[in-house]
């Protein structure tokens, strides 16, 4: 999908610190247009997860200006922030699945929360589970799933509501080759429908394979390195 020029994310000289001594992120300037796909790369500890949390509105910047969907985040009240978060899908490293719910109910949860009075589109949920290779475990709870299955389930839950912005924090960890391809097909399909995607990863091979622009975090700063050459590896 070609970007439509609408700005989804704008950060201006944003800084983030967890203690008074050092900034984890500093002077971050970032503009993302609707419909774009970016890989977020950098060494362990560079701040990728911190930037994902900022964009997901679960972390407050220490300084600078952050604008999402045309709204200055610092000027929003709690209700407005909650409404904004509903436009964002997140695949966290710790999955955040509900242990007391089945795989089916975990996946369906965003649809129930979006409109609790509407009939649940059971077929849509079942079809996505099948597409993720989880059709035979839909009644199992997360504790009975492998780490890779939980990661796929978390990705499905983050995307089933077709968010406008999708943030994925190293989503291909713990996945075998087939599961990785399933997950990437899911994210690419969402991107083709207009979702802006930011995918944090350590997998240079994945970045080369797909050839999307990269954002590189190093020493707390954000850079746009030259695009890695796309290989002929099959997606």
């Amino acid at each position: 999908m070609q970007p439509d020029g609408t700005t989804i994310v704008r950060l201006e000289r944003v800084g983030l610190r967890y203690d008074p001594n050092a900034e984890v992120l500093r002077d971050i300037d970032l503009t993302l247009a609707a419909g774009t796909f970016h890989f977020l790369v950098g060494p362990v500890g560079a701040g990728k997860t911190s930037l994902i949390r900022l964009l997901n509105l679960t972390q407050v910047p220490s300084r600078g200006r952050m604008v999402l969907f045309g709204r200055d985040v610092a000027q929003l009240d709690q209700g407005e922030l909650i409404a904004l978060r509903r436009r964002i899908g997140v695949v966290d490293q710790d999955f955040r699945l509900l242990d007391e719910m089945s795989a089916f109910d975990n996946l369906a949860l965003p649809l129930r929360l979006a409109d609790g009075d509407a009939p649940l589109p059971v077929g849509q949920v079942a079809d996505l589970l099948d597409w993720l290779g989880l059709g035979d475990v839909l009644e199992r709870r997360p504790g009975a799933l492998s780490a890779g299955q939980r990661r796929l389930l978390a990705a499905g839950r983050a995307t089933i509501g077709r968010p406008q912005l999708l943030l994925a924090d190293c989503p291909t960890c713990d996945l075998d080759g087939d599961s990785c391809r399933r997950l990437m097909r899911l994210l690419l399909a969402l991107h083709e429908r207009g979702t802006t995607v930011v995918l944090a990863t350590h997998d240079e091979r994945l970045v080369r394979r797909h050839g999307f622009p990269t954002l590189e975090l190093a020493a707390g700063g954000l850079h746009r390195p030259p695009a890695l050459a796309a290989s002929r590896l099959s997606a």
Side-chain angles (χ1 to χ4, degrees):
M1 167 115 182
Q2 292 296 319
D4 67 7
T6 303
T7 298
I8 292 290
V9 171
R10 187 168 76 252
L11 306 184
E12 299 173 356
R13 299 185 65 80
V14 164
L16 175 65
R17 64 174 73 243
Y18 294 117
D19 61 61
N21 298 319
E23 284 190 318
V24 177
L25 300 173
R26 57 180 177 78
D27 294 330
I28 301 294
D29 290 319
L30 175 64
T31 300
L32 298 177
T36 55
F37 192 122
H38 286 81
F39 286 109
L40 178 62
V41 301
V44 174
K48 296 187 296 297
T49 295
S50 294
L51 182 55
I52 293 288
R53 287 174 178 166
L54 278 178
L55 296 177
N56 185 35
L57 303 175
T58 55
Q59 190 70 48
V60 178
S62 304
R63 61 183 177 87
R65 185 166 182 252
M66 186 163 68
V67 180
L68 296 183
F69 307 106
R71 307 291 304 277
D72 188 328
V73 172
Q75 298 178 6
L76 302 181
D77 61 29
Q78 190 61 32
E80 291 170 319
L81 286 172
I82 291 171
L84 218 57
R85 285 194 190 105
R86 289 176 180 156
R87 302 166 71 176
I88 304 170
V90 183
V91 186
D92 285 312
Q93 290 191 40
D94 57 1
F95 310 135
R96 298 185 183 275
L97 300 170
L98 299 180
D99 292 335
E100 68 275 14
M101 289 187 174
S102 67
F104 181 94
D105 287 333
N106 264 285
L107 190 65
L109 185 61
L111 301 180
R112 294 186 191 277
L113 293 177
D115 192 347
D117 296 329
L120 182 69
V122 173
Q124 179 185 347
V125 179
D127 286 347
L128 183 52
L129 283 167
D130 283 338
W131 205 55
L132 292 169
L134 301 175
D136 58 344
V137 297
L138 78 170
E139 294 299 332
R140 295 185 192 174
R141 295 185 179 182
L145 303 178
S146 70
Q149 287 173 324
R150 292 197 298 274
R151 194 170 294 280
L152 285 170
L153 182 59
R157 187 183 62 181
T159 59
I160 195 168
R162 297 182 184 176
Q164 291 175 267
L165 174 63
L166 190 284
L167 308 169
D169 193 0
C170 298
T172 59
C173 294
D174 306 319
L175 297 183
D176 58 29
D178 180 65
S179 296
C180 181
R181 285 187 288 272
R182 286 177 185 271
L183 186 142
M184 285 305 299
R185 283 200 299 269
L186 175 65
L187 300 187
L188 291 170
L190 198 67
H191 166 61
E192 286 297 319
R193 294 184 177 185
T195 294
T196 302
V197 178
V198 178
L199 192 162
T201 184
H202 299 290
D203 189 344
E204 186 176 297
R205 199 164 175 261
L206 183 71
V207 176
R208 285 200 177 102
R209 176 182 297 136
H210 293 285
F212 290 113
T214 59
L215 305 167
E216 182 178 11
L217 275 169
L222 187 64
H223 313 278
R224 289 179 180 264
L228 293 174
S231 75
R232 293 186 180 182
L233 295 170
S234 61

